[in-house]
Amino acid sequence: LLIMTSTSISISLLAIAIMLVALGYSSSHERTTQQQLQDQVAELQRQMNQLASSSATGSDIIIPHQETQDRQLQSSTTCTCDTPSGFTYASDFGVIGDSHADDTAALQSAIDSASANDSGGIVVLPKGTFRIFEPLIIPAGVTLQGQGYGDSPLAISFDAGASTIAYCGTDYAVKLAGHAAGLRDLAVYDWPYGTDCETIQAAGGVLVEADGSLVESVIVSNIFIYYFLGGPALSLVAKNSGGVPFGNYQNVRIRHAKRGISLKADETSFVNSNSFLAGGMSGGGFEVGVIAEGPGACNDNKFYGMFIEPPDSSWTHVYVEGSKTNIKLHDVRLEATSKSLDRPIVIIDDSSYGNVMNGILGHTHIQANLNRNPGIDLMSQKSVGMDPAPKNLYWNSAFKGYIAEDRMMPGFSLVGTNAAISILEDPDEMLFPDHNVIDVDYLNYGGAFKLMADITPKSPAHDFVTFGVYARSSVPGSITGAMRYTSGSIISSASHSGGGEWEFIGMTALYDKSAPYFYFSITGDVQLTAPTFIYGQTPAIPGASLMSSSGARMSGTLTMGVTTVYPPPDSTPYYWKIPKNSGNIFVIDTQGNPSRTIIRLNHRTADRFPRGTVATLMFEEAGTRVKHNAYIKLKNNADFVSGPNTSITLMAGGSASWIEVSRNE
């Protein structure tokens, strides 16, 4: 790189500093003309070229590397287009900002100048209250930037150096109408003062609308939207095949509005993947804080760290409606100090699913189908979120007990004869412990071979299902998951890549409750293990499920705890105690004296087993008697007398009583 002496560096820096002062800090009412700017830039370039030329003979020079020279050559051939520089200053276009003058035309002229590329794309609004009677239209690539919204987040501060758009009209005050349009550092006010404004109510504050077009990447930052009691403070609307995606809305503060933030898409349009960061809403007049409506795709709009805390709302604080509509509230604070406890603070229409909500729920409750929305984790004294039970309903998910000659796999139906099935029992082939791998040799005729559960338990409480299987194959598309969707049509998952590695093939979706149908469609050689099936929208849980309180079926080995029981003390020789929580099989050690009698088992309240507990007493020696009585009721009222290696099985009655189940004498 070119190294110059400290003197030459100082000269060049001084020249640059002087030019910066001339270019950027002159009075807004004494702007340098375009020709003057061009002349100054040319002079600065001439001086820099001269400096570089004179330095070429100095002793402080290092010859550039070839790579650096190449970059310099490329740079010298780039565009030197005649483009505007600096900001667009609204004051140059005659705005007054005294809250009385009509600044509509002047302010819109400044915006139009920036849009026409006659000046910089950021329109700088000085401090003041700028009264307008028509909506400001901010087109693509233009940002209207003020000096902040003052020193209060609760009301407009007219004497705090703020920039305020004071709208007096029946439309929206500001409309963002193109890609990357922006609004920041100012207040927007539905102006209530003056005889010409006090009876007029705006339709809304700020509108981002895509009518038959795409309006994306809008940026709204540090905005105070105040007193729009006739409509939404902030609206994102798409219609006639329009779309409003990927916007960024930071620190939008809303105070007193009919609706806080409104998201709406018609059947042909979408409003999605917009992000709202911090900010929030409070005050009175609200019918709803945040509302998201279809029927179009109005989803994946995310709210981070926002507060929604009007004392009350005539509808609710958050309302979501439409089968293609959902929102995601992360670390959001919801409060309604004046709302009746029987009225929900969140309402989600039954058609909506996939909503995510977490944070603080300060009052009342949520009205929603939580099985369709397991991502709702807001909890309070009035309501609680809900997750699906993590129970694998494929009871033979370990693929145990295959009978090759009958072509039968317990728990599954093998639909079709166009595949040969075998079991890989080698532990080295297992992906999960004790889970067999089945090898499916597809025979290339008769369409797809289907693997499905022999019986699928119904669960009307759930709208979603999640299922899948681990698969390994070298054949692309060898296996997919398939199911009957809620509409009645068959849908399928992604298929195997054919890369020869284990891949989880699965899906989660709304299912047809009237005729549930789930299967794996196989059209190529594949190895399978650890299938999983769960009702609810939840990540899959491959591997065998534990037994639950609702019951269990097992294909593997059941191992039970075994413990040794010793005789009671001599003071109570007939009152035996078997330890709780130590298993279900008890080996009776008579300590060399088998001529003993058992009349009571666990007679003390603290030692009793729950009703239905099954306990087996194992005897290695002959001669021990279990006596039939009111506390141990035996078959045919007959005592049990042990022989060598015999047993008796009893069931706890829930108090101090037991009843015989079976005996092995």
Side-chain angles (χ1 to χ4, degrees), residues 14 38 101 154 179 300 344-345 347 364 456 533 591 609 655 664:
L14 178 60
Q38 293 174 354
L154 302 178
H179 297 321
D300 193 41
I345 199 170
I347 298 177
T364 81
T456 302
F533 184 101
Q591 298 286 290
F609 283 75
S655 57
N664 174 29

Side-chain angles (χ1 to χ4, degrees), residues 587-590 594 617-622 624 642-647:
V587 177
I588 305 300
D589 185 345
T590 61
L617 309 182
M618 305 288 298
F619 300 89
E620 296 179 345
E621 300 175 284
T624 301
S642 69
N645 301 316
T646 56
S647 65

Side-chain angles (χ1 to χ4, degrees), residues 347-378:
I347 298 177
I348 298 175
D349 180 76
D350 285 346
S351 64
S352 175
Y353 61 90
N355 292 275
V356 174
M357 299 182 184
N358 56 72
I360 296 176
L361 181 62
H363 300 85
T364 81
H365 61 282
I366 296 172
Q367 179 180 308
N369 183 337
L370 297 177
N371 281 312
R372 293 171 70 95
N373 297 279
I376 296 179
D377 294 328
L378 291 170

Side-chain angles (χ1 to χ4, degrees), residues 209 284 313 556:
E209 183 177 57
S313 50

Side-chain angles (χ1 to χ4, degrees), residues 244-266:
V244 181
F246 316 138
N248 191 292
Y249 303 82
Q250 304 176 25
N251 191 31
V252 176
R253 182 70 169 92
I254 297 169
R255 180 81 170 159
H256 308 303
K258 184 176 183 180
R259 297 185 176 189
I261 298 175
S262 176
L263 313 173
K264 184 173 179 60
D266 71 13

Side-chain angles (χ1 to χ4, degrees), residues 401-621:
Y402 179 62
I403 305 173
E405 55 269 27
D406 296 328
R407 209 164 178 273
M408 290 179 57
M409 175 70 74
F412 290 93
S413 293
L414 310 178
V415 183
T417 60
N418 51 346
I421 308 295
S422 60
I423 301 293
L424 305 179
E425 297 182 343
D426 184 352
D428 293 337
E429 297 289 342
M430 294 180 180
L431 190 61
F432 289 87
D434 298 320
H435 280 62
N436 286 339
V437 175
I438 63 171
D439 186 87
V440 181
D441 181 9
Y442 181 66
L443 302 180
N444 294 304
Y445 70 84
F449 171 74
K450 295 180 181 179
L451 174 68
M452 56 193 298
D454 57 355
I455 299 175
T456 302
K458 293 184 178 181
S459 182
H462 291 92
D463 296 277
F464 277 88
V465 69
T466 300
F467 73 105
V469 66
Y470 268 104
R472 180 169 60 185
S473 177
S474 297
V475 180
S478 58
I479 180 173
T480 59
M483 61 173 284
R484 183 176 288 119
Y485 190 57
T486 184
S487 64
S489 61
I490 298 297
I491 61 173
S492 61
S493 71
S495 61
H496 199 285
S497 68
E501 301 294 333
W502 287 109
E503 299 175 16
F504 192 78
I505 306 300
M507 61 193 302
T508 182
L510 294 165
Y511 74 99
D512 186 345
K513 292 185 179 181
S514 63
Y517 185 41
F518 318 97
Y519 62 94
F520 297 105
S521 177
I522 298 172
T523 56
D525 295 347
V526 64
Q527 294 176 345
L528 306 174
T529 192
T532 183
F533 184 101
I534 303 169
Y535 278 112
Q537 190 177 34
T538 180
I541 307 175
S545 177
L546 297 176
M547 293 186 291
S548 76
S549 59
S550 64
R553 296 176 70 184
M554 300 186 63
S555 59
T557 301
L558 175 63
T559 301
M560 303 180 71
V562 180
T563 190
T564 300
V565 177
Y566 299 98
D570 293 340
S571 59
T572 54
Y574 310 119
Y575 286 51
W576 289 62
K577 175 184 173 182
I578 57 177
K580 292 175 65 176
N581 303 318
S582 297
N584 295 82
I585 300 174
F586 303 93
V587 177
I588 305 300
D589 185 345
T590 61
Q591 298 286 290
N593 179 18
S595 299
R596 297 176 183 270
T597 300
I598 301 174
I599 296 178
R600 298 287 299 272
L601 280 175
N602 293 49
H603 70 286
R604 296 176 64 247
T605 301
D607 297 329
R608 293 172 185 172
F609 283 75
R611 185 173 184 268
T613 302
V614 175
T616 298
L617 309 182
M618 305 288 298
F619 300 89
E620 296 179 345
E621 300 175 284

